Structure formats: structure tokens, C-alpha cells
Amino acid sequence: MPNAHNKQLAILLLATVIISTSGTLGRFIDMPVPVIIWWRCALGGIFLYVYCLYKKIPLGLKSKQHRLPFLISAVFLGAHWITYFYALKFSNVAIGVLSLFTFPVMTALMEPLFIKVKLDPVHLVLGGIVLCGIYILVPDFDLDNDQVLGVLFGIFSAFCYSIRILILKQQSPNYNGTFLMFYQVLILSILLLPVMFLMDSSAIKTQFPYVLILALLTTAIGHTLFISTLRYFKVSTATIIGSAQPIYGIIIAYFFLNEIPSKKTLLGGILIISTVIIESIRSKRVRLTKPSD
């Protein structure tokens, strides 16, 4: 139904804005990256657990066969977060978030390998437009400085994110989105626990408020909302709509970190937002033409 589609689309767009705060927070928080991610997972897990209890969401797995996909997807989520934050530390929010957003193209190409769907040529076209927008948006940088590492970390982060979301897509019909996110951060909290003994975590005394925002807003709320929409949209549809994140991220960084975008940023942003609008309209038409909906 049109109203149902509009509601899900609104949730997806809200999740996109919320998740976009991670770039500014990741660059601003002054702690070793693995330590930031551990706190993000530990605090996020507490918030999600309380929410599951409040909503009376069952916390048991429906099948032992789901254990391995949960574990693998959590590992890829951890790799995605860590490499993304390193991309932010080596470069800036613009380069970090824009290099990450090669993932819609990766996802569209890999989706038929994970899920029984045909490769949609339109997604390749839209993905190409996104890439053009990203190419234009990336500020000029010298290949001899740390910014190239930021780009490489961002691209690898994109690969990990694509794999993780494609694995979760297979589990999304079986579980609540909050449940899925809770188990992801729970597993990561356990896997990353050694970093708390190997790295300096003393700065949490001054950085805790910002880590708390990262855990509650970006992780517990933003990612849960995004995962919940996977029941309604194809992964490639959700990721292309989510391509507005670089624009939101750059705007947030402008206000909070005084990172000023250039004219190239505005031009690239127009291209990316155009794909968001096109895919939003296309996804609605596809849903309305399905007789089973």
C-alpha cells in the first residue's frame, strides 16, 4: 500500500540521517579506534538489550544454523567500523565517508551471489552516477600523504559493509531488526574485549559523552532502523537510497568540525541526491505493481 511504502521510506531516510553522525563523531572522539568501537558496541548492546526487554522481543535463536551467519556478519561489521574510523582519522569526514560510499555499487554487483535476485541494470547505472558524484566530491589530495590511506581504508570498509548487509538480508525475515543489531554488537563486544587491556582507554573519562551519543543514537537507533527496512526493500534499493549519507555527513561535519565543503562537493552532492530521488520513486512503483502486496 502507498502509505506503508511511504512510512518505510521515511524510516529508511531517518536512519540514513542518524547514521551520518558517525563520521563527525568518529573523527572527533580522541581515543584509539578499536577502543572507540568496543565502547560503541558495549554501550549500544546495553541500550538494545533494554529495548528488547521493554518490547518483549524474544532473544533466542530460531535455529542453530543461524549462529555462523550471525558470527560472520558481526566480524564484517567490526571490520567495517574499525577501517571506517581509521579512514576518518587519516583523512577527514568528506574523504572517509565518500570512499565508504563505493559500497552501493559493490552491493548491487554482489547481491545476486547471495540472494536469488536478478542483477538490475538500472542499479548499475545509478551506482555509476553515485561513483561520479563521489569522484567529484573528493577534495584534491596528494598521494604521498595520509589521505590516500584514508581512501583505501574507506574502500575496504565499504567491502566489509556490503558483505555484512547481504548476510543480514538473509536473516532479516526471521528476526526483528533490534534483535539482529543486539547480537551483532554483543558478539563484537566479546571479540574486541582484549583491546581494552592492550590499548590506552583512559581518555574515556573525558570522551564518554560523545561515545554515549555514538552508541545510543548512531548504533542503537540508526542501525536498527536501517536493518528493519531490509524486510521491505531490496538491499540494493536500501543502499542506494542510503547514498545520501555523504551529504548529511559533510553537512554535520561543517557545523560541528568546521570542515567547509567546496563547490565540487556541492556538485557531487547533487548527483548523489539525484540517485536517491530516482531510486525512491522506482522502488515505490515496483512495490505498487506487485500483485502480492
Side-chain angles (χ1 to χ4, degrees):
M1 295 178 63
N3 288 339
H5 175 90
N6 291 338
K7 179 181 178 181
Q8 293 298 323
L9 184 58
I11 292 174
L12 178 56
L13 292 174
L14 176 62
T16 300
V17 175
I18 293 175
I19 294 173
S20 300
T21 62
S22 65
T24 297
L25 289 168
R27 183 158 172 76
F28 179 79
I29 298 173
D30 187 17
M31 289 194 300
V33 169
V35 174
I36 296 175
I37 301 304
W38 185 86
W39 278 105
R40 178 181 191 175
C41 293
L43 293 174
I46 293 173
F47 292 133
L48 291 169
Y49 178 71
V50 171
Y51 182 79
C52 286
L53 291 181
Y54 174 72
K55 287 291 186 177
K56 298 181 180 179
I57 299 173
L59 294 177
L61 295 179
K62 296 182 179 180
S63 172
K64 293 182 179 180
Q65 295 179 345
H66 295 165
R67 292 177 180 175
L68 185 59
F70 272 46
L71 176 61
I72 295 175
S73 62
V75 170
F76 275 104
L77 174 63
H80 154 60
W81 276 346
I82 290 174
T83 52
Y84 174 48
F85 274 40
Y86 272 121
L88 296 168
K89 297 293 187 183
F90 277 113
S91 53
N92 55 44
V93 173
I95 290 178
V97 72
L98 294 172
S99 58
L100 169 63
F101 266 79
T102 55
F103 86 85
V105 177
M106 295 184 190
T107 304
L109 289 173
M110 292 190 292
E111 186 173 13
L113 302 177
F114 285 76
I115 305 170
K116 293 181 180 180
V117 296
K118 294 182 179 180
L119 181 63
D120 189 342
V122 176
H123 286 147
L124 294 179
V125 175
L126 294 177
I129 296 174
V130 170
L131 280 181
C132 291
I134 289 174
Y135 176 79
I136 295 173
L137 276 167
V138 172
D140 295 330
F141 59 90
D142 187 346
L143 294 177
D144 292 330
N145 62 35
D146 285 343
Q147 289 185 333
V148 68
L149 293 177
V151 173
L152 293 176
F153 273 117
I155 292 174
F156 184 73
S157 178
F159 172 77
C160 293
Y161 187 57
S162 295
I163 297 294
R164 177 252 181 174
I165 201 171
L166 286 167
I167 294 174
L168 280 188
K169 173 64 176 178
Q170 297 174 311
Q171 301 300 326
S172 60
N174 302 315
Y175 297 101
N176 177 278
T178 306
F179 173 94
L180 291 173
M181 197 64 201
F182 167 69
Y183 267 90
Q184 297 265 288
V185 296
L186 175 63
I187 293 171
L188 280 177
S189 297
I190 297 171
L191 294 179
L192 291 175
L193 186 59
V195 306
M196 300 302 292
F197 301 96
L198 299 174
M199 296 183 174
D200 183 13
S201 60
S202 60
I204 190 63
K205 297 176 182 178
T206 58
Q207 302 297 304
F208 185 77
Y210 313 112
V211 175
L212 187 64
I213 295 173
L214 179 66
L216 176 59
L217 183 66
T218 310
T219 306
I221 298 177
H223 282 272
T224 298
L225 288 176
F226 183 83
I227 292 175
S228 69
T229 64
L230 295 181
R231 291 187 176 190
Y232 193 85
F233 297 104
K234 289 175 59 178
V235 173
S236 46
T237 299
T239 52
I240 292 177
I241 291 176
S243 294
Q245 283 187 40
I247 306 303
Y248 300 139
I250 291 171
I251 292 173
I252 294 170
Y254 168 74
F255 283 106
F256 290 93
L257 299 179
N258 199 30
E259 292 187 359
I260 302 175
S262 64
K263 292 181 180 179
K264 292 171 61 178
T265 299
L266 297 177
L267 178 58
I270 291 173
L271 288 178
I272 293 177
I273 292 176
S274 296
T275 65
V276 175
I277 296 172
I278 293 170
E279 184 58 20
S280 298
I281 295 172
R282 285 188 68 254
S283 65
K284 182 174 182 178
R285 289 178 178 174
V286 170
R287 294 291 301 180
L288 292 176
T289 55
K290 287 184 179 180
S292 59
D293 291 346

